[in-house]
């Protein structure tokens, strides 16, 4: 299967070279697509140099920082356009262990439309993150899967593999979230389409070098969007039930 690993980068100078090599070593057949937001630390130049050494690496540089969700949106559009059959997403800061790539790809080979590296299934874990970050992620996920009735334990994990046909069907380019809510938005769309999603445990480590780009604005965006989608689901379900409710037999009116 023709596959591509999509990697969003913003100031990942210390991480990017090593991660690109590790990905190449683990899945030599996979091409790589890096979406960099003109990182001030010169990440893009390093990617270009590494591409010269390793080959099969393509770089898209956008003019300014626009958020993880929009970077994936752009990367997926390019990947779908280029006709890849499997599209992988992962972070560049070593939080996502490249050694787990074969597990994700194995699930796709076994028939899953989407394979999710999950911190919240048996065997999965988050190590090193401070307590407040772990709680935010854990409860944020509980909230999202409860409100949106998603049968997925880790809706905000960015470590995934998608069958391209399934990803194309949910039209990622029409999603709206700027930050990691984008990931929940995709799970919700796949679920509605009845796509097969499978989770495999991952141990999520804190980034090796550099600083997190997570911001309060992005957390608030995620909570507001999940709440809004939840309300939309309730209203839609209510309208549908009203439309399809059996009409009252006329003799009951008398
Ligand atoms: N292109 C791009 N990549 C981003 C942006 N924000 C985060 N990333 C990348 O997305 C991945 C996860 O971001 P990170 O800051 O580690 O988020 P955290 O793991 O939730 O703290 C890393 O590879 C980042 O370089 C952004 O605005 N644009
Ligand atoms: Mg990170």
């Amino acid at each position: 299967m023709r596959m591509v690993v999509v990697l969003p980068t913003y100031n990942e100078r210390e991480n990017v070279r090593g991660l690109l090599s590790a990905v190449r070593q683990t899945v030599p057949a996979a091409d790589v697509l890096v979406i960099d937001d003109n990182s001030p630390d010169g990440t893009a130049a390093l990617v270009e140099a590494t591409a010269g050494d390793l080959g099969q690496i393509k770089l898209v540089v956008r003019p300014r920082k626009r958020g993880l969700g929009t970077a994936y949106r752009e990367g997926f559009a390019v990947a779908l356009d280029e006709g890849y059959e499997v599209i992988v997403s992962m972070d560049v800061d070593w939080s996502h262990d490249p050694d787990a790539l074969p597990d994700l790809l194995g699930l796709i080979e076994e028939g899953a439309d989407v394979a999710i590296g999950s911190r919240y299934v048996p065997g999965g874990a988050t190590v090193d993150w401070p307590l407040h970050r772990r709680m935010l992620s854990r409860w944020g996920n509980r909230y999202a899967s409860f409100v949106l009735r998603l049968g997925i334990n880790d809706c905000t994990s960015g470590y995934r593999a998608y069958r391209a046909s399934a990803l194309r069907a949910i039209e990622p380019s029409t999603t709206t979230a700027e930050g990691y809510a984008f990931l929940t938005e995709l799970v919700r769309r796949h679920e509605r389409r009845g796509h097969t999603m499978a989770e495999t445990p991952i141990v999520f480590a804190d980034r090796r070098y550099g600083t997190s780009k997570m911001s309060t604005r992005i957390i608030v965006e995620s909570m507001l969007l999940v709440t809004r989608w939840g309300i939309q689901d309730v209203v839609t379900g209510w309208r549908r039930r009203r439309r399809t409710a059996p009409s009252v037999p006329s003799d009951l009116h008398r």
Side-chain angles (χ1 to χ4, degrees):
M1 288 195 284
R2 278 192 68 216
M3 52 185 156
V4 63
V5 181
V6 179
L7 304 172
T9 56
Y10 192 75
N11 286 348
E12 300 292 359
R13 187 181 54 185
E14 297 107 322
N15 297 309
V16 75
R17 230 180 212 288
L19 188 94
L20 287 170
S21 313
V23 167
R24 176 55 41 77
Q25 237 168 23
T26 317
V27 277
D31 291 346
V32 173
L33 173 61
V34 178
I35 310 292
D36 183 68
D37 280 359
N38 206 4
S39 302
D41 75 348
T43 299
L46 268 177
V47 171
E48 258 169 13
T50 313
D53 297 342
L54 301 180
Q56 289 167 259
I57 297 174
K58 203 171 166 170
L59 170 67
V60 172
V61 182
R62 309 195 299 176
R64 62 185 175 85
K65 180 166 174 12
R66 284 173 46 205
L68 173 70
T70 78
Y72 277 134
R73 198 139 56 222
E74 180 125 12
F76 291 171
V78 173
L80 289 172
D81 223 41
E82 299 200 349
Y84 287 101
E85 292 160 285
V86 177
I87 298 169
V88 174
S89 62
M90 79 189 278
D91 291 355
V92 179
D93 56 2
W94 295 99
S95 285
H96 296 153
D97 183 355
D99 286 347
L101 280 168
D103 289 346
L104 288 171
L105 296 169
L107 288 174
I108 300 288
E109 263 163 32
E110 285 165 22
D113 293 314
V114 185
I116 299 178
S118 177
R119 297 160 287 185
Y120 307 126
V121 293
T126 303
V127 290
D128 317 324
W129 256 5
L131 186 67
H132 71 273
R133 192 78 210 266
R134 286 210 307 270
M135 289 294 129
L136 178 70
S137 170
R138 188 72 196 97
W139 285 96
N141 267 292
R142 286 204 170 112
Y143 180 64
S145 42
F146 174 73
V147 169
L148 305 176
R149 298 204 182 88
L150 304 170
I152 294 295
N153 298 286
D154 196 342
C155 310
T156 56
S157 167
Y159 201 8
R160 298 181 181 172
Y162 302 87
R163 190 178 299 283
S165 52
L167 193 59
R168 183 173 285 114
I170 61 161
E171 299 179 13
S173 59
T174 63
T175 54
T176 52
E178 189 184 314
Y180 66 85
F182 169 78
L183 297 162
T184 310
E185 202 171 5
L186 295 190
V187 167
R188 179 166 179 259
R189 289 185 179 200
H190 283 298
E191 180 109 348
R192 290 175 147 206
R193 287 255 171 178
H195 291 162
T196 317
M197 288 185 275
E199 289 178 281
T200 184
I202 57 161
V203 175
F204 181 100
D206 199 3
R207 58 166 52 249
R208 264 194 205 166
Y209 306 102
T211 47
S212 169
K213 285 94 212 174
M214 169 75 90
S215 66
T216 311
R217 198 167 60 84
I218 290 303
I219 298 167
V220 169
E221 179 199 53
S222 176
M223 298 208 306
L224 288 181
L225 281 176
V226 168
T227 306
R228 185 207 282 173
W229 295 327
I231 293 170
Q232 271 170 7
D233 286 352
V234 170
V235 172
T236 311
W238 179 68
R239 284 207 181 119
R240 193 175 298 135
R241 270 197 302 281
R242 257 200 354 183
R243 265 206 311 276
T244 57
S247 52
V248 183
S250 55
D251 54 337
L252 286 183
H253 287 304
R254 284 190 214 119

